[in-house]
Amino acid sequence: MEVKLQVENEILDKIKHTFHSAEVSIPRKQRVEVKLRNDLIHPFLAYLKDTLGFKHLSHISTVDWLEENEIELVYIVMNYDNLVEVIAKIRLDREKPEIPTLREFWPQIETYEREIHEMYGVNFLGHGNLTDFILEDWEGIPPMRRDFDTVKYAKETYFNRPGREDAQDVRTTITKKSGEEIPELAKVYSVRHLE
Amino acid sequence: MREKETTIYLGPQHPGITGNMMVKLKVTGDTIVSAETHVGYLHRAFEKLMEARTWLQCFPIVCRICVPEPDPNEENLSRVIEEIEGREVPERAKYIRVLVLELSRLATYLLWMGGQSGSMGLYTMPQWTVGDRDYILDLFEQLTGGRVYHMYIWPGGVRRDLPEGFGDKVLKVMDYLEKRLKDYDDLLFNNALFYKRAKGVGVIDKAKAQEWGVVGAPLRGCGIKHDVRIDEPYEVYDKLNFIVPTYEGGDVWARAMVRRQEFEQSISIVRQVIENMPGGDFYNKIPNPLNWRVPPGDAYVKTESARGEFGYYAVSDGSLKPRRVHARGPAYVHGVSLLERILQGANIADVSFIMNSLGTCPPEIER
Amino acid sequence: MAFDIKGILSPFKALNQMGKHPHTVKFPYEEKVTAPRYRGLHFNDLEECIGCGTCSTICQNKAIDMINIEGIDPSSGDTGLRPRVDNGRCCWCALCVEVCPTGSLSLTTDYIYVTEDADSFLWTPGVDNPEGKEKKSFVSDSEHSLLEYARVPMRELEGSERVKSFAEVVLGYSEEEARKEAERCIGCGICTDNCPVHMHIPEYINAIAHGNDEDAIRIIYDNNPLGETCGKVCTRRCEEICAISKRGEPVAIRWLKRYATERAANEEMVKEIVNPTILPPNGHSVGIIGAGPSGLTAAYYLAMRGFNVEIYESKAHAGGMIMYGIPKYRLPLDSIDKQIEYMESIGVKIHYNTMVGKDVTLEELHQKHEAVFVGIGFEKPYSIGLTNEEAEGSIQAVNFLRAINSDKHVEIGDKVVVIGGGNVAIDAARVSRRLGADVTILYRRRVQDMPADWEEIEGAEDEGVHIKPQAIPLELITNENGRVVAIKYANAEMVPDPKGGRPRPKIIEGDEHIIETTAVIGAIGQEADYSFISEKIKSQIEIKRGRIVVNESQQTGVEWLFAGGDIANNRADAISAIADGFRATKGIEKFILNKEN
């Protein structure tokens, strides 16, 4: 196992050596995960791309950690020479998520940043073209944020086709028949309410 | 006479490709000065919807991310869950998955051949290939119960075992397709007009290809040999023999020839899979889906779809539902930033021709 | 391949396709025959379906409604609802089929849906396509179903280990086992209908599955203060109609309840976790006769509602039948103590060794309390009706169990015969095994006719109890000292009942046998002792077949007198007694507060 992860460990050492504050781990073969301070993402990706040869940007993803009041950006870059992928993660303040753009590194980042701006409200400083990408004239909280209520939005925006009002809830039907009174603390555990 | 710059809008009704998107072109005469893509006609908020559904309920959604090629999505979501969960997949299921993925690749290439020829006015090809694709859809129907959306690959393996005599039926279709490939050669790949039309069109700069995020056949059409099936072998691709063809040129022609060669390779892979299909279980059962919690964690997995690297990044917070599922389709890069770049200097008539050769798929861009 | 003459001529080869047979749809049109596994329109077997609604829950498109259908009425184990599919939303993923516990729902080979009304997409499978039964294609069988049909096995002591002591036989689920078992539940709630108390079963099981055992405890105590007892010895009618049991082993509802309640190791922990809201004293007082399950339950909830509650118990220990009737290897003393002490800690008062009718009269209780609840249980055994029944060595099972549970020595020797086929008979037999005796059970009918729980019968056999079915005892044989030394019985054959009931045993003439024995234990049933009720009151209440007739709030013909437990229901189990106690709480509260106004 040690031998197999040789390349990954070399990359890990190099990253650790250059960015002391980075938390680096190897989740599995061909993957190196790095958790970074926000201000380091720019130099870090520059280092990966120009020095370590991570030329291919696979993906930028965003995760909203509502409970922790943070928005996580996940950059996945790949080195075609040693076939290792680095997953770099930073966490932005959810109230005011801001980070300088990375447009100059990979041209296609423009699209990713436009989408993340639109869907999560992350401001990419210096991007210059954070216009609508998929949505049009969207107002209100960015829709991919966890506190955006899809069901509420759908109810306000669309209507139900009539004819299904006679639907019954199974658990309620049973309690009506038996006279069972479900206490409030128990109701949250009804798996019937998956949504 | 100086030519005036004009703006024309191509789309959004199916600009020669599957799905709705619009390309805003600034042209002088017949030549494109600049191109701007506009998407948003097919946004179904799938990633948002998945956060409100249990892991298993996401499967009927993900296959709709790309209509012509749903299986890599199922494969990716299954594999990303399995990686977070550490769930083992039986060997037989892995072989069946490869079978499905390669049949899906063949079906997609057949559809692409039709689209590529149709976008240059050669309408016989779509009639042939769409008809031949139906033989593969028949196989899917027998295997999965559905023709287009299979919902067949899922966590722990596949949904049903191979029906009796399925291998022979597959081999029969493979023999047929191999025979038909000669006809396609005659009509399309050896066609001098296609050569004339495709050579030097939609050129991707080899030096820039990697940085621009080009993947799949377009990358191999630049002479760069990368394929997820080789780079990061998943399922049983490391046990199968196949070559990854490359062509120089970076143009529509090179991409077409790469796909033409891969078509043959896929037929060969399907035959190897049928030949080596092991016995045993096809499914490592998940717990009751109403109570199925995936332990906290995240993972990024990728699959070589017919159009290139198809990746899924998923995060679980330990609850019944995913925290985040993000689908990275090849078309996201090919169909927007790359397309805008290589359309510069092209002819208006080549727009859908180039879009087809890049495998642009709007439902996958918007998800 | 280049722009050359060969490339120009190549496309013309396509001309050789002319005249070939087309592979498109034939003309005239032939309907396509779909694959045997095709996912087409739904079909539902209305007879098989139990209306659990799992299909509706799993549907990620919300395409399935559960609706009432004319001609299908709710019954035990069937909500009477049936699924209706909105074909405008359905995507034929067939997840609904994969999670259907009964296997009634399937997809068919049909794929054409034509209607004249463009707005009508609603489709009730089975009602709209009765012919679909012949066209089922994508079906749910146990092999492919996503539900788990096998129960997490309960670990038990080995039979040979068990007979050495009164140690608890069932070892209980570990945390991991409990989570896994709880995950099997689909949460339909059908089980709650059969539970006499209507406990919130899917909710507490789901709380366990979520890893939140404390919430599970709180949910259990919401309407059952003896959850731990039920977790060990409940007759679990809920499991009989569990949706999963249609094709597999029902969810181990009892063992999960046991797991949850045992997480609170002592009465302080129970109190801390349940943290009951106890209303301030309201100045009203209720007397309760008998500290059995029904009396304790009524006392617990009345005390929480601010009533002054006093229980009068004739014995030294509370619990009634669960204390004195159930052997300790099923329900250990520690567990009973924990539950009683918890109740006392929230304000339930128990007067021990106080026999109503002897130490205090019912009339006195009425003067002291505004309402009286009677839950005295069936303690007086039926006689077995054989000659020499009164002889030494002939014992009644309830007396025997009571003595053993009170830590008294009972001389049974080494060869015991038990008469009867109920749970009491099995208990007596298994207890006798633990005292070192060789045990034979004589039962009139066949083994499958025995009213005892199947598990109990198997447990007894594991422990080496011999069961002799179709054996009718004839007489007890005594020796010169008047002590029972043998029993004579006759083998019987089963003959159909002319009235259409279950087959009856008929003695085979001449097929008589004698078994030597050191003790005979009779266990053919018990009745109540109503001697403490005065004739005046007796004349106002109705007693039918040994049981007091009560209304839906457990009230007797005398408005201040309520009754519950074995004396008021014919189910003779703890959970029914608890249900009576729970209902009586509401009845008593209503009675007293109404009187006040």
Side-chain angles (χ1 to χ4, degrees):
Chain A
M1 206 63 195
E2 294 295 312
V3 183
K4 270 189 188 167
L5 293 175
Q6 197 187 346
V7 186
E8 290 83 348
N9 275 311
E10 278 170 19
I11 295 170
L12 178 137
D13 290 341
K14 281 180 190 159
I15 294 173
K16 270 191 173 166
H17 191 253
T18 319
F19 298 90
H20 300 289
S21 64
E23 281 178 52
V24 198
S25 58
I26 301 173
R28 71 158 168 92
K29 203 174 154 235
Q30 290 182 279
R31 293 279 187 282
V32 175
E33 192 183 303
V34 186
K35 285 183 184 159
L36 283 167
R37 246 175 37 218
N38 295 350
D39 54 338
L40 287 180
I41 189 70
H42 212 278
F44 177 72
L45 289 179
Y47 172 73
L48 279 190
K49 184 170 177 244
D50 300 335
T51 313
L52 298 186
F54 283 77
K55 290 243 157 41
H56 174 59
L57 174 86
S58 279
H59 198 31
I60 306 178
S61 192
T62 322
V63 188
D64 183 4
W65 296 99
L66 177 66
E67 297 80 0
E68 291 149 50
N69 206 26
E70 283 177 327
I71 285 188
E72 185 174 59
L73 290 184
V74 183
Y75 295 81
I76 302 175
V77 287
M78 182 167 177
N79 186 336
Y80 272 137
D81 299 328
N82 56 26
L83 303 172
V84 171
E85 249 169 311
V86 169
I87 302 178
K89 297 176 174 176
I90 54 168
R91 289 209 174 199
L92 308 176
D93 179 6
R94 201 168 172 278
E95 302 299 324
K96 198 169 183 258
E98 274 183 354
I99 190 89
T101 179
L102 286 159
R103 268 183 88 165
E104 68 267 28
F105 290 177
W106 289 282
Q108 71 271 24
I109 268 195
E110 184 204 346
T111 324
Y112 283 107
E113 291 186 343
R114 261 168 80 191
E115 188 187 335
I116 294 168
H117 172 256
E118 180 173 72
M119 295 293 180
Y120 286 92
V122 177
N123 189 17
F124 292 93
L125 303 169
H127 183 281
N129 186 28
L130 289 175
T131 49
D132 286 352
F133 179 56
I134 288 169
L135 307 174
E136 208 171 292
D137 300 330
W138 183 264
E139 283 169 5
I141 50 173
M144 280 297 283
R145 287 208 175 190
R146 297 282 288 190
D147 45 1
F148 176 80
D149 188 340
T150 321
V151 176
K152 185 166 157 268
Y153 175 81
K155 277 184 182 153
E156 285 165 4
T157 316
Y158 309 107
F159 62 91
N160 278 328
R161 187 186 294 278
R164 292 181 58 181
E165 299 78 9
D166 54 345
Q168 308 289 317
D169 179 67
V170 171
R171 191 77 176 92
T172 314
T173 305
I174 297 167
T175 52
K176 260 190 216 151
K177 181 179 166 224
S178 68
E180 178 189 355
E181 291 163 16
I182 305 177
E184 281 307 314
L185 86 126
K187 280 182 184 162
V188 296
Y189 287 109
S190 187
V191 286
R192 294 277 127 177
H193 308 115
L194 275 179
E195 62 181 46
Chain B
M1 191 180 92
R2 264 176 66 97
E3 281 178 358
K4 221 172 75 186
E5 190 177 284
T6 325
T7 305
I8 61 168
Y9 295 88
L10 200 66
Q13 276 78 17
H14 291 242
I17 48 156
T18 50
N20 306 44
M21 74 182 277
M22 192 246 281
V23 190
K24 186 177 162 191
L25 303 167
K26 286 214 172 91
V27 292
T28 54
D30 198 18
T31 312
I32 296 163
V33 178
S34 73
E36 199 182 310
T37 54
H38 284 268
V39 294
Y41 305 95
L42 283 169
H43 179 56
R44 293 152 294 175
F46 279 165
E47 290 175 0
K48 182 77 184 173
L49 293 181
M50 281 194 251
E51 290 174 21
R53 276 156 179 74
T54 59
W55 286 96
L56 196 69
Q57 285 178 323
C58 294
F59 279 85
I61 291 184
V62 291
C63 54
R64 286 167 169 82
I65 284 180
C66 183
V67 188
E69 198 184 9
D71 301 289
N73 290 285
E74 296 175 15
E75 161 75 12
N76 269 332
L77 186 58
S78 304
R79 207 137 45 77
V80 81
I81 294 171
E82 285 154 11
E83 191 168 320
I84 297 175
E85 240 196 339
R87 180 174 296 279
E88 293 289 326
V89 179
E91 193 71 0
R92 182 176 175 84
K94 291 183 178 174
Y95 272 88
I96 299 177
R97 282 179 176 188
V98 170
L99 175 67
V100 170
L101 290 171
E102 293 305 321
L103 286 176
S104 148
R105 192 185 315 279
L106 289 170
T108 315
Y109 280 167
L110 286 169
L111 209 57
W112 161 79
M113 283 180 205
Q116 191 73 72
S117 325
S119 61
M120 63 175 220
L122 177 54
Y123 289 119
T124 312
M125 271 301 274
Q127 290 177 20
W128 284 3
T129 57
V130 170
D132 290 341
R133 173 173 170 262
D134 257 43
Y135 290 118
I136 297 180
L137 299 191
D138 284 344
L139 292 177
F140 276 131
E141 184 186 322
Q142 287 167 25
L143 180 63
T144 71
R147 293 179 71 80
V148 175
Y149 296 128
H150 309 137
M151 283 160 282
Y152 180 66
I153 297 173
W154 68 11
V158 293
R159 208 165 157 179
R160 292 284 189 275
D161 205 353
L162 299 180
E164 211 161 308
F166 187 68
D168 294 338
K169 286 179 189 159
V170 173
L171 292 177
K172 242 169 103 181
V173 174
M174 290 305 116
D175 292 345
Y176 171 77
L177 287 177
E178 202 171 45
K179 222 171 75 209
R180 283 293 272 173
L181 195 55
K182 241 189 97 353
D183 295 334
Y184 305 152
D185 279 346
D186 287 342
L187 196 54
L188 181 67
F189 297 105
N190 286 343
N191 188 334
L193 293 175
F194 177 58
Y195 179 80
K196 182 82 176 159
R197 186 70 199 276
K199 194 71 194 160
V201 170
V203 178
I204 300 169
D205 183 357
K206 183 175 178 177
K208 291 277 179 204
Q210 288 191 11
E211 286 183 30
W212 282 0
V214 180
V215 292
L219 186 68
R220 296 189 284 274
C222 295
I224 302 171
K225 192 174 172 178
H226 281 297
D227 186 311
V228 183
R229 291 175 292 176
I230 301 285
D231 292 352
E232 199 180 304
Y234 49 96
E235 309 302 357
V236 288
Y237 278 113
D238 49 352
K239 295 179 189 163
L240 301 167
N241 290 319
F242 61 101
I243 55 164
V244 177
T246 56
Y247 272 77
E248 293 292 338
D251 50 11
V252 175
W253 170 255
R255 298 197 272 279
M257 293 319 288
V258 166
R259 291 189 176 115
R260 158 72 181 73
Q261 302 301 329
E262 283 180 4
F263 194 86
E264 269 180 315
Q265 291 301 317
S266 286
I267 292 178
S268 149
I269 294 175
V270 168
R271 285 183 176 144
Q272 291 175 48
V273 167
I274 296 289
E275 194 183 325
N276 298 324
M277 182 68 70
D281 274 349
F282 60 93
Y283 185 36
N284 174 12
K285 196 173 165 308
I286 60 164
N288 173 6
L290 301 179
N291 262 323
W292 178 34
R293 287 166 185 78
V294 173
D298 66 331
Y300 178 69
V301 302
K302 47 189 185 173
T303 298
E304 184 72 22
S305 78
R307 288 160 303 116
E309 173 191 337
F310 212 124
Y312 264 53
Y313 179 71
V315 184
S316 171
D317 52 12
S319 69
L320 293 167
K321 298 166 187 177
R323 183 85 196 186
R324 177 85 166 103
V325 178
H326 193 169
R328 176 253 193 254
Y332 191 83
V333 174
H334 289 179
V336 182
S337 59
L338 179 67
L339 182 68
E340 287 177 0
R341 241 159 265 272
I342 65 173
L343 279 184
Q344 287 172 20
N347 289 335
I348 297 173
D350 286 335
V351 175
S352 64
F353 195 54
I354 293 172
M355 283 171 94
N356 258 301
S357 83
L358 291 177
T360 311
C361 179
E364 176 191 303
I365 299 173
E366 300 163 34
R367 308 178 302 283
Chain C
M1 284 169 252
F3 188 69
D4 54 13
I5 187 72
K6 210 174 134 204
I8 289 173
L9 292 178
S10 159
F12 290 100
K13 290 183 189 158
L15 290 171
N16 67 16
Q17 303 289 320
M18 284 178 74
K20 278 197 182 168
H21 206 63
H23 57 186
T24 45
V25 175
K26 305 276 185 299
F27 183 84
Y29 174 68
E30 282 171 19
E31 196 173 306
K32 186 184 177 317
V33 180
T34 47
R37 203 179 264 184
Y38 188 71
R39 299 198 304 260
L41 294 165
H42 288 78
F43 169 76
N44 186 23
D45 190 331
L46 299 169
E47 301 288 314
E48 288 287 314
C49 180
I50 54 170
C52 68
T54 315
C55 46
S56 164
T57 309
I58 197 76
C59 181
Q60 63 92 17
N61 279 331
K62 283 215 161 300
I64 303 182
D65 290 333
M66 298 304 291
I67 54 162
N68 287 306
I69 288 178
E70 214 171 306
I72 298 176
D73 296 321
S75 63
S76 164
D78 182 355
T79 62
L81 303 173
R82 293 295 179 266
R84 179 185 62 199
V85 182
D86 184 344
N87 278 341
R89 276 174 171 254
C90 179
C91 71
W92 287 277
C93 64
L95 284 186
C96 48
V97 173
E98 310 276 25
V99 299
C100 176
T102 63
S104 68
L105 196 63
S106 52
L107 299 184
T108 62
T109 50
D110 275 346
Y111 58 98
I112 295 175
Y113 171 68
V114 183
T115 166
E116 287 176 1
D117 178 5
D119 275 333
S120 156
F121 287 90
L122 301 180
W123 170 267
T124 312
V127 175
D128 289 343
N129 61 339
E131 77 285 358
K133 192 163 194 160
E134 309 305 321
K135 295 178 178 173
K136 290 200 280 189
S137 49
F138 202 90
V139 295
S140 159
D141 48 46
S142 312
E143 191 195 348
H144 296 111
S145 174
L146 287 181
L147 303 180
E148 188 59 68
Y149 290 101
R151 182 183 270 210
V152 176
M154 173 53 81
R155 285 172 291 114
E156 290 181 353
L157 287 180
E158 283 293 315
S160 55
E161 270 306 303
R162 286 185 221 157
V163 294
K164 290 179 187 161
S165 73
F166 278 80
E168 207 174 351
V169 170
V170 171
L171 298 175
Y173 278 143
S174 68
E175 182 172 342
E176 193 189 339
E177 288 169 330
R179 303 260 183 271
K180 199 157 169 252
E181 180 63 22
E183 275 177 4
R184 293 175 60 213
C185 177
I186 54 174
C188 58
I190 283 181
C191 48
T192 60
D193 186 35
N194 240 21
C195 175
V197 185
H198 308 304
M199 293 189 70
H200 319 303
I201 299 167
E203 282 78 14
Y204 71 71
I205 289 186
N206 198 19
I208 297 172
H210 264 84
N212 201 339
D213 299 334
E214 296 197 354
D215 272 353
I217 296 174
R218 282 187 272 269
I219 296 168
I220 289 169
Y221 274 82
D222 177 66
N223 54 8
N224 186 349
L226 296 166
E228 187 165 329
T229 297
C230 294
K232 290 175 192 289
V233 301
C234 186
T235 43
R236 63 195 197 292
R237 265 185 278 260
C238 48
E239 291 181 19
E240 284 166 19
I241 56 163
C242 173
I244 309 281
S245 74
K246 291 280 161 188
R247 290 201 285 180
E249 295 172 293
V251 174
I253 301 172
R254 175 172 64 174
W255 297 146
L256 288 170
K257 184 157 54 227
R258 175 196 158 107
Y259 163 81
T261 48
E262 285 197 335
R263 299 295 278 183
N266 52 46
E267 62 276 7
E268 283 95 18
M269 272 179 78
V270 177
K271 197 172 178 189
E272 197 184 306
I273 293 168
V274 178
N275 189 20
T277 316
I278 302 165
L279 300 181
N282 58 13
H284 298 290
S285 175
V286 179
I288 289 173
I289 305 173
S294 66
L296 288 170
T297 304
Y300 176 78
Y301 291 108
L302 286 168
M304 271 172 58
R305 284 169 165 82
F307 288 86
N308 170 49
V309 186
E310 293 179 39
I311 303 182
Y312 301 87
E313 168 58 51
S314 64
K315 300 191 188 61
H317 213 290
M321 267 305 192
I322 61 173
M323 170 64 207
Y324 292 103
I326 296 173
K328 294 300 158 234
Y329 60 86
R330 287 174 65 198
L331 181 57
L333 188 60
D334 290 350
S335 167
I336 299 177
D337 282 346
K338 171 180 140 190
Q339 299 176 68
I340 306 289
E341 277 166 34
Y342 164 63
M343 286 192 196
E344 288 180 321
S345 79
I346 70 137
V348 173
K349 293 187 215 58
I350 306 178
H351 303 287
Y352 294 102
N353 300 316
T354 309
M355 179 113 179
V356 177
K358 200 175 96 196
D359 302 314
V360 57
T361 65
L362 184 58
E363 280 73 12
E364 282 167 357
L365 289 188
H366 178 219
Q367 278 163 17
K368 194 172 164 198
H369 305 289
E370 286 148 273
V372 175
F373 177 85
V374 186
I376 54 169
F378 278 7
E379 295 219 324
K380 221 166 87 182
Y382 284 138
S383 97
I384 48 175
L386 299 180
T387 46
N388 291 327
E389 192 181 335
E390 304 303 321
E392 195 189 334
S394 159
I395 321 166
Q396 281 292 350
V398 277
N399 298 340
F400 169 66
L401 292 171
R402 187 188 304 134
I404 297 294
N405 282 346
S406 313
D407 245 355
K408 286 182 190 139
H409 177 73
V410 181
E411 185 52 54
I412 55 166
D414 58 3
K415 219 169 167 350
V416 172
V417 170
V418 177
I419 301 170
N423 278 327
V424 175
I426 303 280
D427 284 344
R430 294 178 72 179
V431 166
S432 304
R433 278 294 291 147
R434 281 166 174 75
L435 296 176
D438 183 49
V439 183
T440 306
I441 292 178
L442 297 184
Y443 178 57
R444 298 164 60 82
R445 299 168 193 262
R446 298 164 299 181
V447 173
Q448 63 261 45
D449 298 323
M450 288 175 96
D453 289 350
W454 187 241
E455 270 180 353
E456 286 292 311
I457 297 170
E458 276 185 346
E461 284 177 336
D462 285 350
E463 290 165 15
V465 172
H466 311 289
I467 297 178
K468 183 111 201 61
Q470 287 165 256
I472 297 177
L474 300 174
E475 71 177 290
L476 303 185
I477 301 166
T478 53
N479 66 2
E480 59 278 14
N481 299 331
R483 194 186 156 81
V484 175
V485 289
I487 180 166
K488 188 192 217 176
Y489 71 94
N491 282 330
E493 58 184 343
M494 302 306 288
V495 294
D497 180 21
K499 287 182 209 148
R502 56 179 183 161
R504 303 158 70 89
K506 184 170 160 273
I507 289 177
I508 305 169
E509 291 301 330
D511 194 359
E512 291 177 4
H513 303 269
I514 289 174
I515 310 180
E516 282 182 23
T517 174
T518 50
V520 171
I521 301 179
I524 57 165
Q526 301 87 246
E527 60 184 338
D529 179 359
Y530 295 124
S531 59
F532 70 98
I533 305 177
S534 66
E535 286 308 316
K536 183 170 165 251
I537 294 175
K538 252 187 202 158
S539 68
Q540 293 174 54
I541 62 176
E542 192 187 342
I543 297 177
K544 216 189 237 171
R545 289 186 189 176
R547 291 188 172 87
I548 297 178
V549 178
V550 291
N551 67 11
E552 67 283 354
S553 46
Q554 303 300 123
Q555 199 170 23
T556 66
V558 177
E559 59 171 11
W560 53 268
L561 192 65
F562 293 75
D566 288 356
I567 61 162
N569 70 55
N570 56 9
R571 285 158 160 177
D573 58 12
I575 190 72
S576 302
I578 292 167
D580 287 352
F582 192 70
R583 265 194 301 275
T585 310
K586 292 179 179 168
I588 291 170
E589 187 178 27
K590 207 168 124 198
F591 164 69
I592 291 181
L593 299 183
N594 275 355
K595 204 174 61 171
E596 197 179 34
N597 297 332

